[in-house]
Amino acid sequence: MLYIVITFLWTSILLYLLLGGADYGAGIIELFTSKRNKEVTRKTLYSAIGPIWEANHMWLIIAIVILFVGFPVIYSTMSVNLHIPLTIMLLGIIARGTAFTFRHYDAVVDDMQNLYNPIFAYSSFITPLFLGIIAGSAVSGHIDPQADTFLSAYIFSWLHWFSVSVGLFTVAICGFLASVYLIGETNEETERLRFAHKAQFFNIAAVICGALVFIAAYVEKIPLIEWVFGNWVGRIAILSATLSLVLMWYQLYQGKIGLLRPLAGFQVTMILLTTTYRHFPKIVILKDGGYLSLLEHGGQEKTMQALGVALLAGSIFILPALFYLIYSFQKKPLGYSDIQNH
Amino acid sequence: MDDFIAARSQMALSLGFHIIFSCIGMVMPFFMAVAHYYWLRTNNIVYKNVTKAWSKGVAIFFATGAVSGTVLSFELGLLWPGFMKHAGPIFGMPFSLEGTAFFIEAIALGFFLYGWGRFNKWFHWFTGVIVGVSGLASGILVVAANAWMNSPAGFDFVNGQYINIDPIEAMFNDAWFSQALHMTIAAFVATGFAVAGVHALMILKGKNVLFHTKSFTIAAIFGCVAAILQPLSGDISAKDVAIRQPAKLAAMEAHFETEKSASLIVGGIPDEKNKKVDYAIKLPGFLSFLAHGDFESEVTGLDQIPKKNHPPVAITHYAFQIMVGAGMAMMLIAILYFLALWKKQTWLRSQWLLKLFVAATPLGFIAVEAGWTVTEVGRQPWIIYNIMRTADAVTPMPGIAYSFYLFSAVYVSLAIIVIFMLYRQIKMVGKLYDHS
């Protein structure tokens, strides 16, 4: 049952990265769109994520619940030492979710939009930045439960080059996922081209940020190269991700869009796989070389049983409904009139 | 500000904020389902307009409730890591089920809000009902987790270790039923009266009268039925608390001395130092009756409880008075309303009844906030009753006061924006939803 719970945890993180990530990315794209094109981008974006965005963010809740029910020591250690980035991330989640809803549901469209729009765009950037920082910090070996100063316990646990580069890398990935996703959401040729350019931009950004992550890891003596390339799973995953990237760009230049989304999703899945595989079951690496492990720091047997059953039962309800929701709005996307007045 | 007080204040603020949105999020879908049903059955366009107008409100409230709920699931660890380290695996069961319920609510809301004209009309209607049912389930599950803090179960506490954990037994602890019942009904009372009050005001102003009358009637009937049931559920809760948490009951009633045929104290100012209550109305024997169903029975006072385990008496007592007072006022209005419906139809067209509803708009939520203050403050100094002290659970991180200020600023601004948006929604009814 422990392994079922761990599988659910990994899958929710992956789905949050893919679906929630594309969702954040939509806001990041808005941030990087010229004023002239913002309005039309917003409409495409709304028709693409309007009906499903709430569901996209549920994966974070599932992951956090698994963590605090099944792995309370890991949850509470991270909550203490990463208090500040977690708080910033939460403020980002509040700002983003409310601004997105408010700007659409405000009965009067006026200057208030100038308040909602930048809040939405900037928080779409900040939230995944800090999600990445938190993930980077967990494995960076900077978390020190024995630390005796405020700075070493609560600031330098997360504020270092490695985590920040992981944060930027996460932002680039979100932007990339969203651009690729949105290419298929519009029938307008010029707009499609614009999203293709955005995809290119974020792809390059991801490569640069990825390089930064490796450099930061090297400087901070984090054995990232060994984690990623030191085993067959990592090597195969990286190789196939790179090949699929080539295939994706080839498809895009051919003007075919059918395979774009699965390929982009595949690449991100491979990245998550390589970065977590070598670590498993260690999820938090501490400063003194100790670690918190999914296998050793899990809850008692009965808790895992109950949690596993709850997750399995839950997915029987959730998955079909979710697929049908996504399918319905893919088959017949929201039209302009729906956006104005549903 | 002391870090411990700051952590408690931040938690109270976050819960107090979230509870309003979750109540509305779980009750409004039922109002919508009724209006939607009438639209599908009668083809009266007003009902469709009402459903659509309400659904905009629900979308705003749901989004705000969803983010404030996400924040809470992190805040449990950010503020109370000592508690979560031990409690997580024990009381986590309702949370893992709640995750599912909440997820389904979000999916169903996607179908409902964007499904007009897209699906079979009864399937579309049904997704709206699912929003309500899963919202209600979420609420009940979260309250079950809170009930566990009042009535810990499903583990053995031996030498500071939590062993033999049974999460199912923990979920069905002794307090879950009475608390969940009381909270669920409270959500209907609060939302019903708040919605009815707003529509009553619009009727009085003579704007879109037909639209607002239909809306008012649906909300008022839900709210009034719940308001009449609520004292019964309150009685179940009181009898339960009297047995399980005598300190909480004693604080609620500012009942300092253990005595037989104890008096029910209404109002007054508790004086903790001299163990008395000034300016209160005393009803002899009624506290014994309320607590144990017998006017002669003995009710434990604070004197039987060690001083270090006393909850803050004044806050708990005032909050309890406010809750009961507001509840009684709403029950009276409910009785008048039903009287009007059955016997005195002329009252329905008179202004005074509508004015009463307008005056009662915030009463339900005041009662909800006061009720939560009673149950949370009344449990102090414990975070897990008789097992773990709140002070031992707080995060070691210094400077929580700043976090509290930050979250206060965010929640206050959010509250202002939400109120502003609702004001605009209501103002625009004539333009957007009801052209008559």
Side-chain angles (χ1 to χ4, degrees):
Chain A
M1 208 43 116
L2 180 58
Y3 280 91
I4 292 180
V5 171
I6 292 172
T7 308
F8 268 101
L9 178 63
W10 194 83
T11 313
S12 351
I13 293 172
L14 174 68
L15 289 171
Y16 188 55
L17 184 62
L18 289 176
L19 301 169
D23 208 278
Y24 286 119
I28 298 169
I29 290 178
E30 202 179 305
L31 195 63
F32 286 93
T33 298
S34 64
K35 246 197 184 117
R36 195 158 42 90
N37 293 324
K38 268 201 168 109
E39 201 46 46
V40 58
T41 304
R42 255 176 227 140
K43 292 220 167 76
T44 311
L45 186 159
Y46 193 83
S47 85
I49 63 177
I52 50 167
W53 82 273
E54 292 275 13
N56 287 344
H57 290 270
M58 294 295 152
W59 296 111
L60 177 66
I61 300 199
I62 302 286
I64 200 73
V65 167
I66 295 177
L67 216 51
F68 82 56
V69 177
F71 310 95
V73 176
I74 298 171
Y75 171 80
S76 54
T77 305
M78 290 179 75
S79 298
V80 171
N81 292 95
L82 302 177
H83 188 114
I84 293 169
L86 280 166
T87 301
I88 299 173
M89 178 202 78
L90 286 179
L91 294 172
I93 289 178
I94 299 180
R96 186 179 187 278
T98 49
F100 182 72
T101 309
F102 292 173
R103 75 176 184 179
H104 182 66
Y105 282 96
D106 201 334
V108 184
V109 177
D110 61 1
D111 289 350
M112 285 299 282
Q113 295 289 329
N114 296 335
L115 175 70
Y116 308 139
N117 287 329
I119 290 181
F120 173 71
Y122 282 102
S123 54
S124 292
F125 182 90
I126 288 167
T127 314
L129 175 70
F130 275 85
L131 278 164
I133 288 178
I134 291 159
S137 310
V139 294
S140 67
H142 282 78
I143 293 179
D144 184 4
Q146 267 87 47
D148 47 9
T149 66
F150 184 81
L151 285 177
S152 58
Y154 302 110
I155 301 288
F156 296 130
S157 52
W158 57 275
L159 191 60
H160 43 82
W161 290 115
F162 178 72
S163 300
V164 174
S165 348
V166 175
L168 290 172
F169 182 61
T170 314
V171 170
I173 289 203
C174 292
F176 173 70
L177 282 170
S179 325
V180 173
Y181 182 75
L182 289 173
I183 291 172
E185 288 291 316
T186 172
N187 297 318
E188 185 90 28
E189 190 53 38
T190 49
E191 221 195 339
R192 189 173 287 173
L193 213 60
R194 226 151 32 75
F195 288 129
H197 282 304
K198 285 278 178 291
Q200 204 168 12
F201 169 76
F202 284 110
N203 195 342
I204 294 167
V207 171
I208 293 172
C209 295
L212 275 181
V213 173
F214 275 98
I215 294 168
Y218 179 76
V219 172
E220 294 181 4
K221 300 195 173 56
I222 297 165
L224 183 67
I225 294 186
E226 199 272 325
W227 291 345
V228 173
F229 296 106
N231 59 86
W232 277 107
V233 173
R235 271 173 257 172
I236 292 171
I238 289 294
L239 186 70
S240 56
T242 313
L243 286 178
S244 75
L245 195 63
V246 175
L247 181 63
M248 199 191 94
W249 281 111
Y250 179 71
Q251 292 262 317
L252 197 59
Y253 282 115
Q254 296 278 310
K256 291 176 190 155
I257 55 168
L259 277 177
L260 293 185
R261 285 180 194 176
L263 286 172
F266 175 75
Q267 284 145 23
V268 175
T269 310
M270 287 302 115
I271 291 170
L272 189 69
L273 181 69
T274 45
T275 47
T276 50
Y277 175 76
R278 181 62 181 75
H279 273 290
F280 182 81
K282 299 173 194 170
I283 187 167
V284 176
I285 295 179
L286 303 171
K287 192 158 195 170
D288 57 7
Y291 56 84
L292 297 176
S293 149
L294 287 172
L295 294 180
E296 291 161 45
H297 294 92
Q300 294 175 21
E301 183 59 29
K302 261 199 167 166
T303 300
M304 284 299 172
Q305 287 284 348
L307 180 59
V309 170
L311 289 168
L312 286 170
S315 47
I316 293 174
F317 286 104
I318 292 169
L319 293 178
L322 186 60
F323 282 129
Y324 186 54
L325 179 71
I326 295 172
Y327 167 78
S328 310
F329 288 94
Q330 279 296 322
K331 205 176 71 177
K332 186 170 168 246
L334 289 184
Y336 184 74
S337 64
D338 293 309
I339 297 174
Q340 286 305 301
N341 155 48
H342 54 75
Chain B
M1 191 183 224
D2 174 45
D3 278 334
F4 176 55
I5 298 296
R8 278 184 58 190
S9 308
Q10 185 178 327
M11 199 67 197
L13 173 78
S14 306
L15 284 166
F17 184 83
H18 179 66
I19 201 169
I20 294 176
F21 293 88
S22 43
C23 280
I24 293 174
M26 68 197 209
V27 172
M28 279 300 283
F30 290 103
F31 297 2
M32 286 192 301
V34 172
H36 196 176
Y37 177 85
Y38 279 116
W39 152 242
L40 295 178
R41 275 273 171 247
T42 64
N43 252 347
N44 182 345
I45 189 80
V46 177
Y47 283 112
K48 186 185 182 189
N49 295 337
V50 168
T51 314
K52 283 207 167 188
W54 275 347
S55 74
K56 295 280 169 74
V58 166
I60 294 167
F61 277 90
F62 183 83
T64 314
V67 291
S68 58
T70 309
V71 169
L72 277 169
S73 64
F74 282 90
E75 269 180 337
L76 285 170
L78 291 175
L79 300 173
W80 314 107
F83 165 66
M84 287 308 285
K85 195 151 79 180
H86 299 294
I90 312 173
F91 86 151
M93 189 66 196
F95 283 113
S96 37
L97 296 173
E98 196 261 347
T100 301
F102 193 28
F103 210 136
I104 290 174
E105 191 180 352
I107 295 172
L109 195 70
F111 277 114
F112 180 74
L113 289 179
Y114 300 89
W116 291 97
R118 232 168 223 283
F119 303 104
N120 171 298
K121 62 182 184 179
W122 287 107
F123 173 78
H124 182 224
W125 176 81
F126 182 68
T127 59
V129 175
I130 295 291
V131 175
V133 171
S134 49
L136 212 55
S138 294
I140 290 172
L141 288 163
V142 169
V143 173
N146 174 272
W148 177 85
M149 295 160 72
N150 286 317
S151 167
F155 66 99
D156 293 321
F157 189 58
V158 183
N159 301 326
Q161 299 288 316
Y162 298 76
I163 55 171
N164 300 327
I165 290 174
D166 182 346
I168 308 293
E169 199 189 318
M171 182 161 81
F172 295 109
N173 58 74
D174 290 340
W176 89 270
F177 177 75
S178 61
Q179 270 195 243
L181 182 70
H182 202 54
M183 182 68 238
T184 306
I185 299 177
F188 276 92
V189 179
T191 310
F193 272 82
V195 174
V198 170
H199 290 294
L201 181 66
M202 300 315 285
I203 300 171
L204 286 172
K205 284 191 168 180
K207 289 191 177 148
N208 304 83
V209 173
L210 187 64
F211 174 95
H212 287 297
T213 307
K214 298 240 184 277
S215 316
F216 170 82
T217 310
I218 296 172
I221 288 178
F222 268 105
C224 289
V225 170
I228 289 173
L229 293 175
Q230 188 65 320
L232 300 174
S233 120
D235 184 57
I236 297 175
S237 287
K239 291 195 165 47
D240 184 38
V241 167
I243 298 165
R244 275 188 309 96
Q245 291 175 290
K248 183 185 279 184
L249 185 84
M252 279 153 69
E253 271 300 315
H255 181 59
F256 290 105
E257 312 276 336
T258 305
E259 58 184 351
K260 286 191 173 166
S261 51
S263 320
L264 184 72
I265 295 174
V266 180
I269 300 169
D271 178 353
E272 288 186 57
K273 220 186 220 160
N274 300 314
K275 300 190 188 313
K276 62 188 179 69
V277 186
D278 301 323
Y279 316 112
I281 303 162
K282 293 189 176 171
L283 306 171
F286 273 88
L287 180 58
S288 295
F289 180 72
L290 187 79
H292 302 295
D294 171 6
F295 285 97
E296 301 295 318
S297 66
E298 184 176 279
V299 179
T300 311
L302 285 165
D303 56 345
Q304 298 252 319
I305 292 144
K307 185 92 178 91
K308 62 178 173 125
N309 293 346
H310 281 197
V313 177
I315 296 179
T316 318
H317 179 68
Y318 292 139
F320 183 62
Q321 304 302 308
I322 291 170
M323 178 187 76
V324 174
M328 287 297 154
M330 287 183 291
M331 186 184 74
L332 290 177
I333 295 175
I335 291 170
L336 287 175
Y337 183 64
F338 284 123
L339 216 62
L341 279 183
W342 278 312
K343 297 272 179 202
K344 310 263 183 188
Q345 308 256 331
T346 51
W347 290 4
L348 291 176
R349 285 181 292 280
S350 61
Q351 296 228 333
W352 64 269
L353 190 62
L354 288 172
K355 280 183 181 160
L356 269 183
F357 272 98
V358 173
T361 308
L363 276 188
F365 281 105
I366 290 173
V368 164
E369 298 288 358
W372 272 98
T373 308
V374 170
T375 196
E376 291 297 285
V377 176
R379 191 189 59 241
Q380 303 304 325
W382 304 102
I383 191 164
I384 309 173
Y385 184 61
N386 275 343
I387 304 276
M388 183 190 281
R389 285 175 177 272
T390 315
D392 297 332
V394 73
T395 178
M397 194 180 102
I400 297 297
Y402 298 101
S403 163
F404 169 58
Y405 300 143
L406 196 62
F407 276 93
S408 305
V410 168
Y411 281 141
V412 168
S413 342
L414 265 185
I416 292 171
I417 298 181
V418 168
I419 292 169
F420 173 70
M421 290 190 62
L422 280 190
Y423 168 74
R424 280 183 158 187
Q425 286 284 346
I426 294 160
K427 214 177 70 176
M428 295 293 282
V429 160
K431 247 191 191 148
L432 293 176
Y433 310 109
D434 187 38
H435 306 287
S436 57

